[in-house]
Amino acid sequence: MLRDHPEISARLAQPAPGLRVLEGHFNGSPLAVLLVEERPTGPMVTALVVHPASRNRGVGSTLLREACAWLPGLGWPDELARLARKAGL
């Protein structure tokens, strides 16, 4: 899933303090990964990747919605605003 995202693989190989990783799985296989960093304003999504075969099926919005339930006050960058609306956030 991260083959096309070496920058995220590098962040996972040497994680910054406070980095949180949330994974979405189906039948034991990873479908999506969401990275969250703690910022002075609260937790912030810094990356969201969904496996190409699972895109446009609600995987990203479900993972974002679950992350919000787990991390109150979670924020996300502007490029995820459409996905957040789709998730009802």
Side-chain angles (χ1 to χ4, degrees), residues 43-45 64 68 74-82 84-85 89:
M44 174 67 83
V45 173
L64 185 58
C68 284
L74 180 67
W76 46 83
D78 291 340
E79 57 267 17
L80 292 180
R82 185 174 149 259
R85 283 192 302 277
L89 304 172

Side-chain angles (χ1 to χ4, degrees), residues 7-89:
E7 71 285 358
I8 294 173
S9 294
R11 289 174 60 194
L12 292 172
Q14 295 186 349
L19 178 70
R20 297 177 190 210
V21 180
L22 289 85
E23 292 182 332
H25 290 256
F26 180 73
N27 286 340
S29 297
L31 292 181
V33 66
L34 184 139
L35 303 183
V36 176
E37 291 181 8
E38 193 61 43
R39 303 270 172 94
T41 56
M44 174 67 83
V45 173
T46 58
L48 174 60
V49 177
V50 176
H51 189 281
S54 298
R55 291 183 185 151
N56 299 310
R57 295 181 180 195
V59 173
S61 58
T62 298
L63 187 57
L64 185 58
R65 190 172 39 254
E66 291 296 321
C68 284
W70 187 58
L71 297 167
L74 180 67
W76 46 83
D78 291 340
E79 57 267 17
L80 292 180
R82 185 174 149 259
L83 182 68
R85 283 192 302 277
K86 183 177 176 183
L89 304 172

